[in-house]
Amino acid sequence: MGMTESISFSEIQRLCAAEGLTAGGVLSPVPQQLDSTWLDRMEADGLGDMEWLQRTRTQRLHPTHMMPEAKALLAVAMAYQPTAECGELKRARYTAGKDYHHVLRSKLGRIGVILGQRCGSTSKGRAAVDSAPLNERTLAQMAGLGWFGRNSLLISPEVGSYRLLGFLLTDAALEPHHAGHGEDRCGKCTACEKRCPTAALVDRRVLTTRCISYLTIEHKGIIPKALAERFEGWWFGCDLCQSVCPWNRFATEPDDARLRGREIDADLLAITAETFDQHFARRAIRRIGYERFRRNLLVALFSLGQQAACQMILAEGLPLVCAQALELGIKPIADL
Ligand code: SF4
Ligand code: SF4
């Protein structure tokens, strides 16, 4: 291949498949400026503790900010475990296995090195998985990976929405490729809106500060009682608007064994401040830290009406948990 010839999409697909990834699409050249409608609406609805979205707004709307010399942007997808954990206390499916940020970023990193070498460049490119200031959902849609459902998630008509998205900015010249999806296929379905226990889905968007996923993962303070009552036992994330989506009947199993759940998180109450890090080692749950983990358990148990278990959590005396208990009207037994 000549230095200026672009790398074909079929070759990119092979590289991705070797890493257990589906090559979705390639944007080449990288768009300079993205439409801000989605961010504007989120900001207007309220970002809660995700003010970093506002802080990084300029970067998010200008994808080359992260790598000005980038010639192309590769969008990939990786399936996560589509089966649910059983039991009353529930966490999002994607947390079953290892922290996907690390798994996906290292795969993209290896692909970046190979693409760079193929073009005679020493650059490894820049991989972005969730944490980088990139407007990922807009870019994925532009690359043809799916449409935004009423649950506001990107849905592929081939595999649904139980998948993680990753991006690689590279200075290698890649053949542009549109994955071919984008047409709205929700039709008259409103299953996700009806199922959302906190009425967070309105007008094809998530009202951040009502969403269980936000409240259990991003929100640092007290969860309002009116919402906590409706948690249905969720203690980390929430999958309800995905589990009712008919397109997820096409979900596939993860290729990478690290993304499969080995165990049900049994005996959550027995996890202590000392064992938390070890119990959730290399899993996304660890990111919220022990105190928020206990706050979430308190709220989840409260929503299930399990008062005795709430007392066990409260007895530890963690400040955030005590403040949350006050909000929920749970009094320590000694005060009764
Ligand atoms: S994740 Fe749960 S709370 Fe959030 S919008 Fe979906 S169903 Fe509603
Ligand atoms: S549940 Fe129905 S309305 Fe919601 S995203 Fe899926 S197809 Fe669209």
Side-chain angles (χ1 to χ4, degrees):
M1 189 190 83
M3 297 281 274
T4 52
E5 198 179 323
S6 62
I7 300 174
S8 71
F9 186 68
S10 55
E11 182 169 357
I12 296 164
Q13 276 180 310
R14 277 195 297 278
L15 282 175
C16 289
E19 291 284 353
L21 300 176
T22 305
V26 174
L27 296 174
S28 175
V30 182
Q32 293 293 311
Q33 175 141 20
L34 303 182
D35 180 63
S36 66
T37 310
W38 174 71
L39 262 181
D40 293 342
R41 289 196 348 170
M42 263 192 97
E43 284 177 23
D45 288 337
L47 294 172
D49 283 335
M50 297 200 299
E51 76 291 339
W52 42 264
L53 271 174
Q54 223 277 326
R55 250 191 347 262
T56 53
R57 183 183 164 91
T58 308
Q59 294 96 305
R60 282 177 195 281
L61 296 178
H62 302 89
T64 49
H65 214 279
M66 265 176 70
M67 185 178 171
E69 70 279 23
K71 292 199 181 101
L73 180 133
L74 167 65
V76 302
M78 182 170 74
Y80 60 83
Q81 183 165 300
T83 46
E85 184 192 33
C86 0
E88 285 189 300
L89 288 171
K90 296 184 274 300
R91 54 157 167 71
R93 286 163 167 79
Y94 76 85
T95 63
K98 297 291 176 217
D99 191 337
Y100 69 90
H101 295 90
H102 301 303
V103 175
L104 189 44
R105 215 168 17 232
S106 56
K107 287 172 186 285
L108 285 168
R110 286 190 289 274
I111 293 169
V113 169
I114 297 171
L115 291 178
Q117 285 166 350
R118 293 277 282 102
C119 293
S121 157
T122 52
S123 166
K124 304 192 289 271
R126 288 287 307 274
V129 182
D130 246 7
S131 44
L134 209 59
N135 204 351
E136 300 180 338
R137 34 179 282 137
T138 305
L139 290 165
Q141 188 195 30
M142 289 173 80
L145 269 66
W147 81 97
F148 291 124
R150 284 202 171 83
N151 58 10
S152 109
L153 296 165
L154 198 75
I155 304 174
S156 154
E158 288 163 350
V159 293
S161 62
Y162 290 136
R163 60 192 179 147
L164 305 158
L165 302 175
F167 300 84
L168 180 75
L169 284 157
T170 173
D171 65 355
L174 310 185
E175 179 192 356
H177 181 84
H178 187 271
H181 308 306
E183 184 197 341
D184 183 346
R185 299 207 186 185
C186 284
K188 294 203 170 96
C189 176
T190 52
C192 52
E193 286 180 359
K194 288 192 195 113
R195 185 62 187 92
C196 177
T198 56
L201 293 175
V202 177
D203 192 20
R204 299 194 88 104
R205 66 194 198 273
V206 182
L207 300 179
T208 302
T209 52
R210 296 189 69 85
C211 174
I212 295 171
S213 208
Y214 161 79
L215 290 166
T216 54
I217 300 172
E218 303 285 350
H219 182 58
K220 299 189 178 78
I222 295 160
I223 296 169
K225 184 179 180 189
L227 297 173
E229 285 169 338
R230 306 188 199 175
F231 269 39
E232 300 185 20
W234 289 91
W235 64 271
F236 190 95
C238 164
D239 283 334
L240 290 173
C241 56
Q242 295 194 83
S243 59
V244 296
C245 180
W247 293 97
N248 277 329
R249 66 185 185 275
F250 302 126
T252 53
E253 287 290 329
D255 282 328
D256 195 309
R258 287 172 295 177
L259 293 181
R260 288 191 203 117
R262 297 149 299 133
E263 88 266 36
I264 287 174
D265 284 303
D267 220 359
L268 290 167
L269 292 189
I271 297 168
T272 64
E274 288 72 38
T275 61
F276 176 79
D277 280 353
Q278 193 202 344
H279 189 94
F280 293 116
R282 294 186 292 284
R283 289 177 61 188
I285 294 160
R286 188 165 168 255
R287 290 166 179 259
I288 62 170
Y290 181 67
E291 196 163 359
R292 276 200 270 159
F293 164 67
R294 296 292 277 188
R295 174 205 61 185
N296 290 357
L297 280 186
L298 181 81
V299 170
L301 290 163
F302 170 79
S303 71
L304 297 170
Q306 297 188 15
Q307 291 291 336
C310 286
Q311 288 296 336
M312 280 174 63
I313 306 259
L314 195 49
E316 198 179 2
L318 292 169
L320 179 61
V321 173
C322 292
Q324 183 67 62
L326 202 63
E327 164 72 14
L328 302 179
I330 305 170
K331 292 200 175 83
I333 281 173
D335 294 354
L336 293 175

